[in-house]
Amino acid sequence: MVAVAVGSQLLTFAGLALTIALAGVVAAFLIVTERRRHEAAERELTSEARFLESLVETMGSIAGGAEVLERTRQEAERLFEARALLLGPGERPRQAPAENAIVIPLRAHEEEIGALRLTRQRPFDRDDVVRATVLADFAAREHENAQLLGDARVREAERSRLSDQLITAEQDERRRLAGLDQRAAARMIGETEGDVGFVRHASFLSCFSKN
């Protein structure tokens, strides 16, 4: 009986130790898994932050510059590590069977002014589409702003040209009128002098006849 009791106690202790060991293994596995998940999340967040930082820098380099759409195409190639192509409004090339490509419309006031086509070896995910759309929307607005600014500059140049022409015409007219005034004054002086001479001559003849 004593041996049986001792054996039962040993089995109990062994079972308890095994349970504790298994619990430790499970806990260690969960800790390692959670750590790996946390590290993966950190890497993803870091990558996301770096991409967003690059996207902001890209927008800053595009804003206010010349050739907005071409600059956008170049920056898209750098950001997405892909080949970028600018398409015309409504243009949609046929996609090859093994080609990974996305086409992002460029719209201004709901009107398509073109599209950005990206192709690369690895597939594009949903985040890539969202980011490319943000870049395309920003580029379309900047392109429109650049056109409006260009039109405003053309109108200002035309206004300045017309203003210069008007000023020149006014100056020419003033000089012409000044010349007319001078000639008129000269004629008046000449006529006055002639009248005075005539009066003097008449007075002399009058005096001579009386004598």
Side-chain angles (χ1 to χ4, degrees):
M1 294 293 294
V2 175
V4 173
V6 171
S8 178
Q9 290 179 353
L10 290 175
L11 289 175
T12 301
F13 286 135
L16 182 60
L18 181 59
T19 301
I20 294 173
L22 288 175
V25 171
V26 171
F29 175 77
L30 292 175
I31 291 173
V32 171
T33 301
E34 182 64 21
R35 180 178 296 173
R36 289 177 178 174
R37 188 185 68 81
H38 181 69
E39 291 175 351
E42 282 188 346
R43 287 194 297 270
E44 184 177 354
L45 289 174
T46 301
S47 176
E48 181 75 13
R50 288 176 179 172
F51 185 89
L52 291 176
E53 183 179 353
S54 297
L55 184 60
V56 171
E57 291 178 356
T58 294
M59 291 179 175
S61 66
I62 292 173
E67 300 294 335
V68 173
L69 297 184
E70 173 58 23
R71 180 64 176 168
T72 301
R73 186 196 67 79
Q74 296 173 0
E75 289 297 318
E77 288 188 339
R78 181 181 66 85
L79 285 173
F80 297 97
E81 298 178 349
R83 181 175 178 269
L85 180 67
L86 286 174
L87 305 177
E91 183 182 359
R92 297 294 186 272
R94 182 175 298 178
Q95 184 172 339
E99 187 179 39
N100 296 310
I102 56 174
V103 177
I104 309 298
L106 298 165
R107 291 192 177 94
H109 298 294
E110 302 303 324
E111 180 181 355
E112 183 174 315
I113 61 175
L116 182 65
R117 188 174 190 268
L118 301 175
T119 57
R120 68 184 184 191
Q121 292 184 349
R122 69 179 188 278
F124 293 94
D125 57 23
R126 183 177 177 277
D127 289 340
D128 291 327
V129 176
V130 171
R131 293 162 178 169
T133 302
V134 171
L135 179 61
D137 290 344
F138 179 82
R141 288 194 299 271
E142 284 299 313
H143 176 71
E144 182 184 22
N145 292 339
Q147 285 188 325
L148 292 175
L149 181 60
D151 293 342
R153 287 173 176 170
V154 170
R155 289 194 298 271
E156 177 62 23
E158 180 65 13
R159 188 197 65 79
S160 179
R161 184 182 67 82
L162 293 175
S163 177
D164 291 342
Q165 288 182 346
L166 180 59
I167 292 173
T168 301
E170 289 179 350
Q171 291 175 346
D172 291 342
E173 182 64 13
R174 288 174 181 174
R175 285 193 291 267
R176 187 183 70 82
L177 292 175
L180 290 176
D181 291 343
Q182 289 176 357
R183 288 194 293 273
R187 280 200 306 272
M188 290 178 65
I189 292 172
E191 291 173 357
T192 302
E193 290 177 349
D195 292 341
V196 171
F198 176 79
V199 171
R200 288 178 178 175
H201 181 68
S203 298
F204 174 78
L205 290 178
S206 175
C207 293
F208 180 78
S209 62
K210 288 179 180 180
N211 293 329

